[in-house]
Amino acid sequence: MENKLSKLGTVISVRGSVVDVRFDAALPPIYTVLRTGPDKKIVIEVLAQLDARHVRGIALTPTQGLARGMAVEDSGGPLQAPVGKGTLSRMFDVFGNVIDREADLTDVEWRSVHRAPPPLARRSTKSEVFETGIKAIDVLVPLERGGKAGLFGGAGVGKTVLLTEMIHNMVGQHEGVSLFCGIGERSREGEELYREMKAAGVLPNMVMVFGQMNELPGARFRVGHAALTMAEYFRDDERRDVLLLIDNIFRFIQAGMEVSGLMGQMPSRLGYQPTMGTELSQLEERIANTDSGAITSIQAVYVPADDFTDPAAVHTFSHLSASIVLSRKRASEGFYPAIDPLQSSSKMATPGVVGSRHYALAQEIRRTLAQYAELKDIIAMLGLEQLSQDDRKVVARARRLERFLTQPFFTTEQFTGLTGKLVSLEDSLDGCERILRDEFKDTPESALYMIGAIGEVKQKSKPEAKDEHAADTHEL
């Protein structure tokens, strides 16, 4: 009885999501979960011990109905997430409750969401490329198996669409488990994704975890840790490869900023929390290749006001092996996926990993597009006629490459009316090589737009008249 009483505390103050609790016996440790309110529905996570008797916590659920003097129960442990085969094909919230209106959970165990990253001795050091079937990514920004790739872009440039397309392409050919973590997601996006995955028949090897936009910052901040705990089970216990998709890592930083502000910490530059680097590292360092399996992660990163010097973007960059930058300018020109080839980069794009032919081709493509970018000002002021013959050839190649690197997506079929295309790396490289060799200099540029492999050009260009090519060239 005494032990039961020693685990009881009393609410002293409630300020929005911040709750102070008094314990007359032993204080609960940091990260302990407390329960209070009617039916013990209100969940609080301890974040600070104020003195010998008081703790300050942040509520993970709405605090309506919470009042001073209410009894608080110490659960005796941190927040836990369900792990096991029973989680497959299910949809969870941050507490591990199922939110897909299906049967109750069975065949799972519960583990703490606070776990240490794998030690260096257990990490794998081999480099393998992870094919996505998207031309612009596979050729210019190859992803690493067991690496972390970021999709950077402002609002509305196609991060979620590109992420959904990657799920579609990879889940089919990916033997392991896929885990989707929505941090601060719109509920519409979560519901659409669930329906799409169910229709595509890939749900049996997929787990979804959501912390929605309307939830409290404490819940949004912890949903990434909960998803990683589930992913680590499949990597360490089942020895399977895991594909972890996070949308959106900026919302994780934003939730941490809100929690930090609520806890009264002094803000750092641009209002970010002083501990942002540490918090992001604690999450990112757990995503790793080990001797038992790999967690490959693709993360969407919202860039506030398209400013890539924003601390959130800068800190995230440092953790990634590939950075795919989406450009608003390319999106406005109709080049989808709107990947900026000159700003995007990958640590895998070296001759030792992708091979000398692929590396040389990628460099040649970048050089051609960079020269075109420099010539654009001259063309705008003086017109294409003032360029030398060599420069005109560069412009023709660059414009054809830009169009060839667009691709119709499976996930946008109902909007565009174009059938989605999955293009192998060999086909992508072959197409780029033939464009650089001027094989298509007499083909209208529009024939290369929104196609899959280069072989589709012939069918597309047959009905086109030769004079359209001239119109295309003057369109500059």
Side-chain angles (χ1 to χ4, degrees), residues 384-430:
L384 194 65
E385 293 74 27
Q386 301 302 314
L387 295 181
S388 69
Q389 202 59 42
D390 285 350
D391 283 348
R392 279 194 216 181
K393 280 183 182 167
V394 167
V395 170
R397 278 180 217 135
R399 287 175 63 84
R400 280 164 177 74
L401 278 171
E402 279 184 335
R403 281 152 182 75
F404 178 62
L405 290 174
T406 61
Q407 190 167 341
F409 280 177
F410 291 98
T411 45
T412 56
E413 279 177 9
Q414 72 254 45
F415 308 115
T416 60
L418 299 168
T419 313
K421 296 282 191 317
L422 187 78
V423 187
S424 72
L425 176 61
E426 197 41 57
D427 285 347
S428 306
L429 292 173
D430 178 52

mmCIF file of all heavy atoms in Angstrom, residues 384-430:
data_model
loop_
_atom_site.group_PDB
_atom_site.id
_atom_site.type_symbol
_atom_site.label_atom_id
_atom_site.label_comp_id
_atom_site.label_asym_id
_atom_site.label_seq_id
_atom_site.Cartn_x
_atom_site.Cartn_y
_atom_site.Cartn_z
ATOM 1 N N LEU A 384 19.325 33.820 -78.857
ATOM 2 C CA LEU A 384 20.106 32.608 -79.118
ATOM 3 C C LEU A 384 21.070 32.785 -80.300
ATOM 4 O O LEU A 384 22.135 32.183 -80.345
ATOM 5 C CB LEU A 384 19.121 31.464 -79.406
ATOM 6 C CG LEU A 384 19.670 30.042 -79.391
ATOM 7 C CD1 LEU A 384 20.151 29.670 -77.994
ATOM 8 C CD2 LEU A 384 18.616 29.054 -79.854
ATOM 9 N N GLU A 385 20.698 33.689 -81.243
ATOM 10 C CA GLU A 385 21.502 33.859 -82.465
ATOM 11 C C GLU A 385 22.905 34.366 -82.174
ATOM 12 O O GLU A 385 23.830 34.157 -82.966
ATOM 13 C CB GLU A 385 20.809 34.844 -83.442
ATOM 14 C CG GLU A 385 19.506 34.339 -84.026
ATOM 15 C CD GLU A 385 18.363 34.363 -83.010
ATOM 16 O OE1 GLU A 385 18.408 35.199 -82.077
ATOM 17 O OE2 GLU A 385 17.457 33.514 -83.123
ATOM 18 N N GLN A 386 23.069 35.084 -81.039
ATOM 19 C CA GLN A 386 24.372 35.691 -80.732
ATOM 20 C C GLN A 386 25.361 34.692 -80.141
ATOM 21 O O GLN A 386 26.523 35.026 -79.909
ATOM 22 C CB GLN A 386 24.193 36.859 -79.745
ATOM 23 C CG GLN A 386 23.279 37.955 -80.249
ATOM 24 C CD GLN A 386 23.781 38.547 -81.563
ATOM 25 O OE1 GLN A 386 24.956 38.854 -81.715
ATOM 26 N NE2 GLN A 386 22.876 38.683 -82.534
ATOM 27 N N LEU A 387 24.912 33.468 -79.853
ATOM 28 C CA LEU A 387 25.816 32.476 -79.265
ATOM 29 C C LEU A 387 26.675 31.824 -80.343
ATOM 30 O O LEU A 387 26.264 31.711 -81.499
ATOM 31 C CB LEU A 387 25.014 31.385 -78.541
ATOM 32 C CG LEU A 387 24.210 31.797 -77.314
ATOM 33 C CD1 LEU A 387 23.521 30.573 -76.731
ATOM 34 C CD2 LEU A 387 25.074 32.447 -76.248
ATOM 35 N N SER A 388 27.846 31.349 -79.930
ATOM 36 C CA SER A 388 28.707 30.607 -80.856
ATOM 37 C C SER A 388 28.065 29.260 -81.169
ATOM 38 O O SER A 388 27.165 28.810 -80.450
ATOM 39 C CB SER A 388 30.081 30.386 -80.234
ATOM 40 O OG SER A 388 29.954 29.480 -79.152
ATOM 41 N N GLN A 389 28.552 28.609 -82.206
ATOM 42 C CA GLN A 389 28.007 27.322 -82.602
ATOM 43 C C GLN A 389 28.107 26.305 -81.466
ATOM 44 O O GLN A 389 27.171 25.542 -81.205
ATOM 45 C CB GLN A 389 28.767 26.827 -83.847
ATOM 46 C CG GLN A 389 27.999 25.788 -84.674
ATOM 47 C CD GLN A 389 26.652 26.310 -85.185
ATOM 48 O OE1 GLN A 389 26.550 27.441 -85.640
ATOM 49 N NE2 GLN A 389 25.618 25.490 -85.072
ATOM 50 N N ASP A 390 29.270 26.295 -80.769
ATOM 51 C CA ASP A 390 29.477 25.348 -79.660
ATOM 52 C C ASP A 390 28.495 25.596 -78.524
ATOM 53 O O ASP A 390 27.942 24.656 -77.958
ATOM 54 C CB ASP A 390 30.920 25.455 -79.133
ATOM 55 C CG ASP A 390 31.911 24.802 -80.078
ATOM 56 O OD1 ASP A 390 31.442 24.117 -81.019
ATOM 57 O OD2 ASP A 390 33.132 24.985 -79.887
ATOM 58 N N ASP A 391 28.299 26.884 -78.212
ATOM 59 C CA ASP A 391 27.380 27.225 -77.116
ATOM 60 C C ASP A 391 25.950 26.822 -77.460
ATOM 61 O O ASP A 391 25.201 26.376 -76.594
ATOM 62 C CB ASP A 391 27.446 28.720 -76.799
ATOM 63 C CG ASP A 391 28.686 29.070 -75.987
ATOM 64 O OD1 ASP A 391 29.332 28.119 -75.501
ATOM 65 O OD2 ASP A 391 29.003 30.266 -75.839
ATOM 66 N N ARG A 392 25.592 26.972 -78.728
ATOM 67 C CA ARG A 392 24.237 26.566 -79.128
ATOM 68 C C ARG A 392 24.034 25.068 -78.938
ATOM 69 O O ARG A 392 22.961 24.617 -78.549
ATOM 70 C CB ARG A 392 23.989 26.921 -80.599
ATOM 71 C CG ARG A 392 23.618 28.368 -80.791
ATOM 72 C CD ARG A 392 23.056 28.576 -82.171
ATOM 73 N NE ARG A 392 23.476 29.862 -82.680
ATOM 74 C CZ ARG A 392 23.125 30.339 -83.859
ATOM 75 N NH1 ARG A 392 22.384 29.594 -84.650
ATOM 76 N NH2 ARG A 392 23.515 31.515 -84.256
ATOM 77 N N LYS A 393 25.097 24.300 -79.230
ATOM 78 C CA LYS A 393 25.007 22.843 -79.029
ATOM 79 C C LYS A 393 24.821 22.517 -77.551
ATOM 80 O O LYS A 393 24.044 21.627 -77.188
ATOM 81 C CB LYS A 393 26.281 22.175 -79.550
ATOM 82 C CG LYS A 393 26.293 21.998 -81.066
ATOM 83 C CD LYS A 393 27.532 21.272 -81.501
ATOM 84 C CE LYS A 393 27.575 21.125 -83.017
ATOM 85 N NZ LYS A 393 28.890 20.697 -83.487
ATOM 86 N N VAL A 394 25.546 23.234 -76.688
ATOM 87 C CA VAL A 394 25.421 23.021 -75.234
ATOM 88 C C VAL A 394 23.988 23.293 -74.797
ATOM 89 O O VAL A 394 23.383 22.523 -74.034
ATOM 90 C CB VAL A 394 26.412 23.933 -74.463
ATOM 91 C CG1 VAL A 394 26.070 23.959 -72.983
ATOM 92 C CG2 VAL A 394 27.841 23.459 -74.663
ATOM 93 N N VAL A 395 23.409 24.416 -75.293
ATOM 94 C CA VAL A 395 22.037 24.785 -74.927
ATOM 95 C C VAL A 395 21.063 23.699 -75.384
ATOM 96 O O VAL A 395 20.185 23.270 -74.627
ATOM 97 C CB VAL A 395 21.661 26.156 -75.548
ATOM 98 C CG1 VAL A 395 20.170 26.430 -75.382
ATOM 99 C CG2 VAL A 395 22.473 27.265 -74.897
ATOM 100 N N ALA A 396 21.240 23.213 -76.627
ATOM 101 C CA ALA A 396 20.331 22.178 -77.151
ATOM 102 C C ALA A 396 20.415 20.911 -76.305
ATOM 103 O O ALA A 396 19.393 20.310 -75.952
ATOM 104 C CB ALA A 396 20.691 21.871 -78.601
ATOM 105 N N ARG A 397 21.654 20.518 -75.941
ATOM 106 C CA ARG A 397 21.821 19.306 -75.108
ATOM 107 C C ARG A 397 21.182 19.501 -73.736
ATOM 108 O O ARG A 397 20.481 18.625 -73.228
ATOM 109 C CB ARG A 397 23.321 19.023 -74.903
ATOM 110 C CG ARG A 397 23.969 18.287 -76.041
ATOM 111 C CD ARG A 397 25.448 18.050 -75.749
ATOM 112 N NE ARG A 397 26.205 18.176 -76.973
ATOM 113 C CZ ARG A 397 27.343 18.838 -77.104
ATOM 114 N NH1 ARG A 397 27.887 19.428 -76.057
ATOM 115 N NH2 ARG A 397 27.960 18.903 -78.259
ATOM 116 N N ALA A 398 21.462 20.662 -73.132
ATOM 117 C CA ALA A 398 20.961 20.924 -71.770
ATOM 118 C C ALA A 398 19.436 20.911 -71.737
ATOM 119 O O ALA A 398 18.824 20.329 -70.841
ATOM 120 C CB ALA A 398 21.494 22.259 -71.266
ATOM 121 N N ARG A 399 18.810 21.545 -72.741
ATOM 122 C CA ARG A 399 17.337 21.595 -72.757
ATOM 123 C C ARG A 399 16.746 20.204 -72.963
ATOM 124 O O ARG A 399 15.705 19.865 -72.408
ATOM 125 C CB ARG A 399 16.848 22.550 -73.845
ATOM 126 C CG ARG A 399 17.088 24.018 -73.482
ATOM 127 C CD ARG A 399 16.718 24.937 -74.613
ATOM 128 N NE ARG A 399 15.301 24.887 -74.946
ATOM 129 C CZ ARG A 399 14.349 25.583 -74.326
ATOM 130 N NH1 ARG A 399 14.669 26.375 -73.313
ATOM 131 N NH2 ARG A 399 13.085 25.493 -74.696
ATOM 132 N N ARG A 400 17.419 19.366 -73.751
ATOM 133 C CA ARG A 400 16.928 17.999 -73.942
ATOM 134 C C ARG A 400 17.146 17.167 -72.677
ATOM 135 O O ARG A 400 16.297 16.348 -72.314
ATOM 136 C CB ARG A 400 17.607 17.364 -75.164
ATOM 137 C CG ARG A 400 16.971 17.827 -76.472
ATOM 138 C CD ARG A 400 17.808 17.562 -77.701
ATOM 139 N NE ARG A 400 17.096 17.965 -78.907
ATOM 140 C CZ ARG A 400 16.915 19.227 -79.282
ATOM 141 N NH1 ARG A 400 17.408 20.206 -78.530
ATOM 142 N NH2 ARG A 400 16.256 19.538 -80.381
ATOM 143 N N LEU A 401 18.283 17.382 -72.011
ATOM 144 C CA LEU A 401 18.539 16.661 -70.747
ATOM 145 C C LEU A 401 17.497 17.032 -69.704
ATOM 146 O O LEU A 401 16.960 16.176 -69.009
ATOM 147 C CB LEU A 401 19.937 16.996 -70.208
ATOM 148 C CG LEU A 401 21.113 16.234 -70.815
ATOM 149 C CD1 LEU A 401 22.425 16.830 -70.329
ATOM 150 C CD2 LEU A 401 21.067 14.753 -70.461
ATOM 151 N N GLU A 402 17.214 18.342 -69.576
ATOM 152 C CA GLU A 402 16.217 18.801 -68.593
ATOM 153 C C GLU A 402 14.883 18.107 -68.812
ATOM 154 O O GLU A 402 14.224 17.688 -67.868
ATOM 155 C CB GLU A 402 16.009 20.321 -68.728
ATOM 156 C CG GLU A 402 17.062 21.137 -68.042
ATOM 157 C CD GLU A 402 16.773 22.642 -68.103
ATOM 158 O OE1 GLU A 402 16.071 23.091 -69.022
ATOM 159 O OE2 GLU A 402 17.275 23.349 -67.231
ATOM 160 N N ARG A 403 14.489 17.982 -70.078
ATOM 161 C CA ARG A 403 13.199 17.355 -70.373
ATOM 162 C C ARG A 403 13.259 15.837 -70.175
ATOM 163 O O ARG A 403 12.295 15.244 -69.716
ATOM 164 C CB ARG A 403 12.765 17.716 -71.809
ATOM 165 C CG ARG A 403 12.174 19.109 -71.885
ATOM 166 C CD ARG A 403 12.342 19.788 -73.224
ATOM 167 N NE ARG A 403 11.791 21.147 -73.176
ATOM 168 C CZ ARG A 403 12.382 22.177 -72.572
ATOM 169 N NH1 ARG A 403 13.542 22.018 -71.966
ATOM 170 N NH2 ARG A 403 11.819 23.365 -72.564
ATOM 171 N N PHE A 404 14.396 15.240 -70.506
ATOM 172 C CA PHE A 404 14.501 13.788 -70.339
ATOM 173 C C PHE A 404 14.486 13.409 -68.851
ATOM 174 O O PHE A 404 14.019 12.334 -68.481
ATOM 175 C CB PHE A 404 15.793 13.271 -70.996
ATOM 176 C CG PHE A 404 15.995 11.784 -70.820
ATOM 177 C CD1 PHE A 404 15.082 10.872 -71.341
ATOM 178 C CD2 PHE A 404 17.088 11.292 -70.111
ATOM 179 C CE1 PHE A 404 15.249 9.506 -71.162
ATOM 180 C CE2 PHE A 404 17.265 9.925 -69.931
ATOM 181 C CZ PHE A 404 16.344 9.026 -70.459
ATOM 182 N N LEU A 405 14.991 14.310 -67.981
ATOM 183 C CA LEU A 405 15.032 13.992 -66.544
ATOM 184 C C LEU A 405 13.688 14.214 -65.856
ATOM 185 O O LEU A 405 13.570 14.058 -64.654
ATOM 186 C CB LEU A 405 16.141 14.801 -65.851
ATOM 187 C CG LEU A 405 17.568 14.367 -66.218
ATOM 188 C CD1 LEU A 405 18.605 15.301 -65.617
ATOM 189 C CD2 LEU A 405 17.869 12.930 -65.797
ATOM 190 N N THR A 406 12.649 14.605 -66.615
ATOM 191 C CA THR A 406 11.290 14.624 -66.044
ATOM 192 C C THR A 406 10.725 13.215 -66.181
ATOM 193 O O THR A 406 11.239 12.416 -66.960
ATOM 194 C CB THR A 406 10.364 15.607 -66.799
ATOM 195 O OG1 THR A 406 10.276 15.180 -68.166
ATOM 196 C CG2 THR A 406 10.881 17.027 -66.727
ATOM 197 N N GLN A 407 9.685 12.937 -65.427
ATOM 198 C CA GLN A 407 9.163 11.566 -65.415
ATOM 199 C C GLN A 407 7.725 11.539 -64.922
ATOM 200 O O GLN A 407 7.401 12.192 -63.921
ATOM 201 C CB GLN A 407 10.048 10.744 -64.466
ATOM 202 C CG GLN A 407 9.820 9.266 -64.493
ATOM 203 C CD GLN A 407 10.957 8.544 -63.768
ATOM 204 O OE1 GLN A 407 12.027 9.087 -63.577
ATOM 205 N NE2 GLN A 407 10.715 7.317 -63.352
ATOM 206 N N PRO A 408 6.829 10.823 -65.613
ATOM 207 C CA PRO A 408 5.457 10.710 -65.093
ATOM 208 C C PRO A 408 5.432 9.765 -63.883
ATOM 209 O O PRO A 408 6.083 8.723 -63.899
ATOM 210 C CB PRO A 408 4.664 10.129 -66.274
ATOM 211 C CG PRO A 408 5.681 9.550 -67.200
ATOM 212 C CD PRO A 408 7.023 10.113 -66.883
ATOM 213 N N PHE A 409 4.704 10.150 -62.849
ATOM 214 C CA PHE A 409 4.667 9.375 -61.600
ATOM 215 C C PHE A 409 3.403 8.527 -61.502
ATOM 216 O O PHE A 409 2.342 8.936 -61.961
ATOM 217 C CB PHE A 409 4.722 10.323 -60.395
ATOM 218 C CG PHE A 409 6.092 10.817 -60.058
ATOM 219 C CD1 PHE A 409 6.280 11.729 -59.018
ATOM 220 C CD2 PHE A 409 7.211 10.375 -60.755
ATOM 221 C CE1 PHE A 409 7.557 12.184 -58.692
ATOM 222 C CE2 PHE A 409 8.488 10.820 -60.435
ATOM 223 C CZ PHE A 409 8.657 11.729 -59.400
ATOM 224 N N PHE A 410 3.541 7.382 -60.849
ATOM 225 C CA PHE A 410 2.378 6.509 -60.600
ATOM 226 C C PHE A 410 1.391 7.209 -59.665
ATOM 227 O O PHE A 410 0.195 7.072 -59.799
ATOM 228 C CB PHE A 410 2.837 5.192 -59.954
ATOM 229 C CG PHE A 410 3.631 4.317 -60.881
ATOM 230 C CD1 PHE A 410 5.020 4.311 -60.826
ATOM 231 C CD2 PHE A 410 3.009 3.507 -61.818
ATOM 232 C CE1 PHE A 410 5.767 3.510 -61.679
ATOM 233 C CE2 PHE A 410 3.749 2.708 -62.680
ATOM 234 C CZ PHE A 410 5.124 2.711 -62.611
ATOM 235 N N THR A 411 1.936 7.963 -58.688
ATOM 236 C CA THR A 411 1.068 8.559 -57.670
ATOM 237 C C THR A 411 0.304 9.777 -58.183
ATOM 238 O O THR A 411 -0.566 10.282 -57.508
ATOM 239 C CB THR A 411 1.892 8.965 -56.427
ATOM 240 O OG1 THR A 411 3.068 9.628 -56.868
ATOM 241 C CG2 THR A 411 2.271 7.786 -55.611
ATOM 242 N N THR A 412 0.663 10.269 -59.393
ATOM 243 C CA THR A 412 -0.058 11.446 -59.908
ATOM 244 C C THR A 412 -0.856 11.111 -61.168
ATOM 245 O O THR A 412 -1.303 12.010 -61.874
ATOM 246 C CB THR A 412 0.935 12.589 -60.229
ATOM 247 O OG1 THR A 412 1.922 12.099 -61.140
ATOM 248 C CG2 THR A 412 1.611 13.110 -58.981
ATOM 249 N N GLU A 413 -1.017 9.810 -61.429
ATOM 250 C CA GLU A 413 -1.723 9.404 -62.660
ATOM 251 C C GLU A 413 -3.106 10.038 -62.776
ATOM 252 O O GLU A 413 -3.509 10.489 -63.839
ATOM 253 C CB GLU A 413 -1.850 7.880 -62.725
ATOM 254 C CG GLU A 413 -0.596 7.208 -63.222
ATOM 255 C CD GLU A 413 -0.697 5.680 -63.225
ATOM 256 O OE1 GLU A 413 -1.804 5.165 -62.996
ATOM 257 O OE2 GLU A 413 0.319 5.020 -63.471
ATOM 258 N N GLN A 414 -3.844 10.105 -61.629
ATOM 259 C CA GLN A 414 -5.220 10.604 -61.727
ATOM 260 C C GLN A 414 -5.271 12.105 -62.008
ATOM 261 O O GLN A 414 -6.272 12.624 -62.458
ATOM 262 C CB GLN A 414 -6.036 10.262 -60.470
ATOM 263 C CG GLN A 414 -5.674 11.062 -59.238
ATOM 264 C CD GLN A 414 -4.905 10.220 -58.261
ATOM 265 O OE1 GLN A 414 -3.996 9.511 -58.640
ATOM 266 N NE2 GLN A 414 -5.227 10.324 -56.976
ATOM 267 N N PHE A 415 -4.151 12.825 -61.760
ATOM 268 C CA PHE A 415 -4.143 14.269 -62.021
ATOM 269 C C PHE A 415 -3.600 14.581 -63.420
ATOM 270 O O PHE A 415 -4.049 15.507 -64.072
ATOM 271 C CB PHE A 415 -3.280 15.003 -60.987
ATOM 272 C CG PHE A 415 -3.635 14.668 -59.568
ATOM 273 C CD1 PHE A 415 -2.738 14.001 -58.740
ATOM 274 C CD2 PHE A 415 -4.880 15.007 -59.052
ATOM 275 C CE1 PHE A 415 -3.074 13.677 -57.438
ATOM 276 C CE2 PHE A 415 -5.223 14.699 -57.758
ATOM 277 C CZ PHE A 415 -4.325 14.023 -56.943
ATOM 278 N N THR A 416 -2.583 13.819 -63.855
ATOM 279 C CA THR A 416 -1.918 14.158 -65.123
ATOM 280 C C THR A 416 -2.465 13.380 -66.312
ATOM 281 O O THR A 416 -2.299 13.801 -67.453
ATOM 282 C CB THR A 416 -0.407 13.857 -65.025
ATOM 283 O OG1 THR A 416 -0.234 12.460 -64.750
ATOM 284 C CG2 THR A 416 0.249 14.678 -63.924
ATOM 285 N N GLY A 417 -3.079 12.226 -66.038
ATOM 286 C CA GLY A 417 -3.555 11.387 -67.132
ATOM 287 C C GLY A 417 -2.426 10.631 -67.813
ATOM 288 O O GLY A 417 -2.643 9.947 -68.806
ATOM 289 N N LEU A 418 -1.189 10.751 -67.284
ATOM 290 C CA LEU A 418 -0.041 10.036 -67.857
ATOM 291 C C LEU A 418 0.258 8.799 -67.035
ATOM 292 O O LEU A 418 0.239 8.856 -65.800
ATOM 293 C CB LEU A 418 1.209 10.945 -67.867
ATOM 294 C CG LEU A 418 1.119 12.233 -68.693
ATOM 295 C CD1 LEU A 418 2.292 13.140 -68.380
ATOM 296 C CD2 LEU A 418 1.102 11.901 -70.185
ATOM 297 N N THR A 419 0.556 7.689 -67.689
ATOM 298 C CA THR A 419 0.872 6.453 -66.964
ATOM 299 C C THR A 419 2.241 6.582 -66.315
ATOM 300 O O THR A 419 3.193 7.033 -66.955
ATOM 301 C CB THR A 419 0.887 5.261 -67.950
ATOM 302 O OG1 THR A 419 -0.280 5.351 -68.750
ATOM 303 C CG2 THR A 419 0.902 3.944 -67.206
ATOM 304 N N GLY A 420 2.341 6.189 -65.037
ATOM 305 C CA GLY A 420 3.617 6.268 -64.332
ATOM 306 C C GLY A 420 4.678 5.378 -64.950
ATOM 307 O O GLY A 420 4.359 4.357 -65.562
ATOM 308 N N LYS A 421 5.941 5.773 -64.807
ATOM 309 C CA LYS A 421 7.048 5.011 -65.392
ATOM 310 C C LYS A 421 8.112 4.719 -64.332
ATOM 311 O O LYS A 421 8.463 5.586 -63.537
ATOM 312 C CB LYS A 421 7.701 5.819 -66.527
ATOM 313 C CG LYS A 421 6.802 6.089 -67.730
ATOM 314 C CD LYS A 421 6.685 4.865 -68.609
ATOM 315 C CE LYS A 421 6.045 5.090 -69.952
ATOM 316 N NZ LYS A 421 4.893 5.885 -70.070
ATOM 317 N N LEU A 422 8.616 3.476 -64.369
ATOM 318 C CA LEU A 422 9.733 3.074 -63.506
ATOM 319 C C LEU A 422 10.903 2.824 -64.461
ATOM 320 O O LEU A 422 10.780 2.008 -65.370
ATOM 321 C CB LEU A 422 9.353 1.782 -62.778
ATOM 322 C CG LEU A 422 10.306 1.280 -61.702
ATOM 323 C CD1 LEU A 422 10.126 2.083 -60.431
ATOM 324 C CD2 LEU A 422 10.034 -0.185 -61.404
ATOM 325 N N VAL A 423 12.003 3.554 -64.310
ATOM 326 C CA VAL A 423 13.104 3.464 -65.282
ATOM 327 C C VAL A 423 14.341 2.891 -64.602
ATOM 328 O O VAL A 423 14.763 3.387 -63.550
ATOM 329 C CB VAL A 423 13.426 4.852 -65.882
ATOM 330 C CG1 VAL A 423 14.449 4.737 -67.006
ATOM 331 C CG2 VAL A 423 12.163 5.519 -66.400
ATOM 332 N N SER A 424 14.919 1.853 -65.195
ATOM 333 C CA SER A 424 16.117 1.249 -64.588
ATOM 334 C C SER A 424 17.299 2.190 -64.746
ATOM 335 O O SER A 424 17.321 3.054 -65.630
ATOM 336 C CB SER A 424 16.429 -0.089 -65.268
ATOM 337 O OG SER A 424 16.935 0.162 -66.577
ATOM 338 N N LEU A 425 18.294 2.021 -63.891
ATOM 339 C CA LEU A 425 19.490 2.872 -63.929
ATOM 340 C C LEU A 425 20.165 2.770 -65.294
ATOM 341 O O LEU A 425 20.604 3.775 -65.871
ATOM 342 C CB LEU A 425 20.459 2.452 -62.812
ATOM 343 C CG LEU A 425 21.798 3.186 -62.784
ATOM 344 C CD1 LEU A 425 21.605 4.678 -62.571
ATOM 345 C CD2 LEU A 425 22.700 2.627 -61.685
ATOM 346 N N GLU A 426 20.222 1.552 -65.850
ATOM 347 C CA GLU A 426 20.896 1.349 -67.147
ATOM 348 C C GLU A 426 20.200 2.153 -68.245
ATOM 349 O O GLU A 426 20.854 2.809 -69.062
ATOM 350 C CB GLU A 426 20.887 -0.163 -67.485
ATOM 351 C CG GLU A 426 21.872 -0.585 -68.553
ATOM 352 C CD GLU A 426 23.254 0.084 -68.461
ATOM 353 O OE1 GLU A 426 23.923 -0.009 -67.418
ATOM 354 O OE2 GLU A 426 23.637 0.716 -69.452
ATOM 355 N N ASP A 427 18.855 2.131 -68.241
ATOM 356 C CA ASP A 427 18.093 2.899 -69.245
ATOM 357 C C ASP A 427 18.308 4.401 -69.069
ATOM 358 O O ASP A 427 18.409 5.149 -70.053
ATOM 359 C CB ASP A 427 16.589 2.580 -69.140
ATOM 360 C CG ASP A 427 16.256 1.216 -69.730
ATOM 361 O OD1 ASP A 427 17.133 0.654 -70.421
ATOM 362 O OD2 ASP A 427 15.147 0.715 -69.488
ATOM 363 N N SER A 428 18.345 4.849 -67.820
ATOM 364 C CA SER A 428 18.539 6.282 -67.544
ATOM 365 C C SER A 428 19.903 6.744 -68.048
ATOM 366 O O SER A 428 20.020 7.783 -68.704
ATOM 367 C CB SER A 428 18.431 6.567 -66.041
ATOM 368 O OG SER A 428 17.228 6.085 -65.529
ATOM 369 N N LEU A 429 20.954 5.960 -67.727
ATOM 370 C CA LEU A 429 22.315 6.323 -68.150
ATOM 371 C C LEU A 429 22.429 6.300 -69.672
ATOM 372 O O LEU A 429 23.030 7.198 -70.274
ATOM 373 C CB LEU A 429 23.344 5.365 -67.537
ATOM 374 C CG LEU A 429 23.538 5.452 -66.018
ATOM 375 C CD1 LEU A 429 24.456 4.347 -65.539
ATOM 376 C CD2 LEU A 429 24.096 6.799 -65.614
ATOM 377 N N ASP A 430 21.818 5.289 -70.282
ATOM 378 C CA ASP A 430 21.867 5.146 -71.735
ATOM 379 C C ASP A 430 21.237 6.367 -72.410
ATOM 380 O O ASP A 430 21.794 6.943 -73.350
ATOM 381 C CB ASP A 430 21.126 3.850 -72.125
ATOM 382 C CG ASP A 430 21.091 3.651 -73.636
ATOM 383 O OD1 ASP A 430 22.176 3.713 -74.248
ATOM 384 O OD2 ASP A 430 19.995 3.438 -74.192
#
